[in-house]
Amino acid sequence: GVMERLGLGPEVLLQENPRLIYARLTGFGQTGKYAKSAGHDINYLALSGVLSKLGRKNENPYAPVNLLADFAGGGVMCALGIVIALFERAKSGKGQVIDASMVEGVAYLSSFLWKSQSLGLWSQPRGENLLDSGAPFYEIYRTSDGKFMAVGAIEPKFYNQLIKGLGLNLDELPAQMSFSDWPEMKKKFASIFAQKTQAEWCSIFDSTDACVTPVLSFEDAASHQHNKERSSFIKNDPGEISPRPAPVLSRTPAVPSCKRDPFIGEHTEEILLEYGFTKQEIAKLHSDKTIELKDLKASL
């Protein structure tokens, strides 16, 4: 209801421009019991059902910071909705309103979880399934130098490479999919990984298809050979490192800016003047705390 109170709701704006695509990104959506309720990523994740699947055995569900509902289920799905609406407008010539709910966005992202329940992938309690840390071959292990290796050797041919790299004999081990042996196998794998440094394990697995990779810090990720070869991370003028825009388009790739991020309110007056606001109107908006302007005075 915020935009309606400003007189800028979709009904008003679409009357003026029927081609307008109006995206409304909220946690709970435009209708329903929680529509006007406050919330954060963890709440939307909880209501979607996804949070119940995240976490280890005998532990509380775990929300992976605010990546899933806010950015993936919210921002990315809303952007996709805009792209779809633009595509449709090319045929109909009409705009429309996009109701992007983070609850529904992250639920839709988890369609694989819903659709694969009958396959037995999620038939066990949380933390005991193939992809949620239940399997010894889809897990994270600590190395002797306190770092970690990520293991994702699901397919038998990849699993065979994992076993070989660990120095084990496949014929002397339980079957890969013997669920009852998974806890013991995890202990065995953990004890072996703890005997070498992360660099040593990289030297063993980097040239294989064992699906074993180092768990890298931000700093290490930016300097890793693979990422450097692809220029996956960029450095701006102040020296801050961030990911390069993705995905990469062959003909019109994004050209990232290396300038520093703008300060809050740095360009507000400039842009409002460009759009016809007077200095008096801008001053009133600032005094009403509707907008923020860059503080040119030192705060001493």
Side-chain angles (χ1 to χ4, degrees):
V2 175
M3 297 303 285
E4 281 79 3
R5 290 197 296 273
L6 295 173
L8 298 172
E11 294 81 7
V12 174
L13 298 187
L14 281 166
Q15 276 189 347
E16 186 170 324
N17 179 7
R19 289 175 55 83
L20 182 70
I21 292 166
Y22 193 112
R24 312 199 78 162
L25 174 58
T26 59
F28 297 111
Q30 295 298 312
T31 58
K33 180 180 178 179
Y34 290 173
K36 296 186 183 300
S37 299
H40 280 295
D41 179 285
I42 196 169
N43 307 117
Y44 315 139
L45 202 58
L47 203 65
S48 72
V50 177
L51 186 56
S52 70
K53 299 293 185 182
L54 305 179
R56 292 183 174 275
K57 180 180 178 180
N58 298 326
E59 293 184 8
N60 294 348
Y62 175 75
V65 290
N66 65 328
L67 293 176
L68 280 184
D70 277 356
F71 296 116
V76 173
M77 295 299 282
C78 183
L80 179 60
I82 293 170
V83 171
I84 293 168
L86 284 167
F87 183 76
E88 192 281 334
R89 189 176 71 181
K91 295 182 178 180
S92 68
K94 297 179 181 179
Q96 55 187 310
V97 180
I98 298 164
D99 180 1
S101 153
M102 294 184 191
V103 172
E104 293 165 359
V106 74
Y108 186 56
L109 278 177
S110 74
S111 295
F112 166 69
L113 304 184
W114 293 83
K115 296 289 187 179
S116 62
Q117 290 183 97
S118 60
L119 301 178
L121 292 178
W122 307 100
S123 57
Q124 301 300 313
R126 181 177 60 254
E128 297 181 31
N129 299 281
L130 182 67
L131 301 177
D132 64 0
S133 79
F137 48 85
Y138 203 87
E139 179 59 289
I140 298 161
Y141 294 100
R142 183 185 290 270
T143 58
S144 64
D145 54 347
K147 297 182 179 181
F148 298 92
M149 298 298 289
V151 177
I154 299 175
E155 291 80 359
K157 61 181 179 180
F158 301 151
Y159 182 72
N160 292 349
Q161 291 289 308
L162 167 66
I163 297 304
K164 182 180 178 181
L166 291 176
L168 297 172
N169 188 333
L170 193 65
D171 296 332
E172 298 174 357
L173 300 175
Q176 180 184 356
M177 299 305 292
S178 176
F179 299 102
S180 61
D181 291 302
W182 280 3
E184 201 57 40
M185 289 297 292
K186 286 180 72 170
K187 292 179 183 177
K188 181 184 287 290
F189 287 2
S191 68
I192 296 174
F193 271 107
Q195 294 170 18
K196 288 182 172 65
T197 66
Q198 185 186 73
E200 288 174 321
W201 285 119
C202 286
S203 68
I204 291 172
F205 285 113
D206 271 0
S207 59
T208 73
D209 278 336
C211 301
V212 179
T213 49
V215 177
L216 301 177
S217 66
F218 275 11
E219 183 179 350
D220 290 339
S223 61
H224 190 274
Q225 181 183 351
H226 174 81
N227 294 332
K228 287 177 70 175
E229 288 174 0
R230 288 184 51 81
S231 301
S232 300
F233 295 87
I234 56 175
K235 184 180 291 187
N236 66 9
D237 293 339
E240 300 166 331
I241 297 174
S242 60
R244 180 190 64 183
V248 180
L249 305 185
S250 64
R251 189 170 51 80
T252 58
V255 180
S257 171
C258 288
K259 296 180 180 178
R260 63 162 174 79
D261 293 341
F263 300 121
I264 294 175
E266 181 174 357
H267 305 112
T268 303
E269 184 175 13
E270 173 188 339
I271 292 169
L272 290 179
L273 286 170
E274 183 182 324
Y275 275 85
F277 286 79
T278 66
K279 289 208 170 191
Q280 291 76 17
E281 289 172 330
I282 295 171
K284 179 69 165 57
L285 288 170
H286 185 233
S287 65
D288 291 344
K289 297 184 178 181
T290 303
I291 61 171
E292 289 192 47
L293 300 176
K294 180 184 176 184
D295 186 3
L296 299 177
K297 299 177 182 178
S299 301
L300 299 176

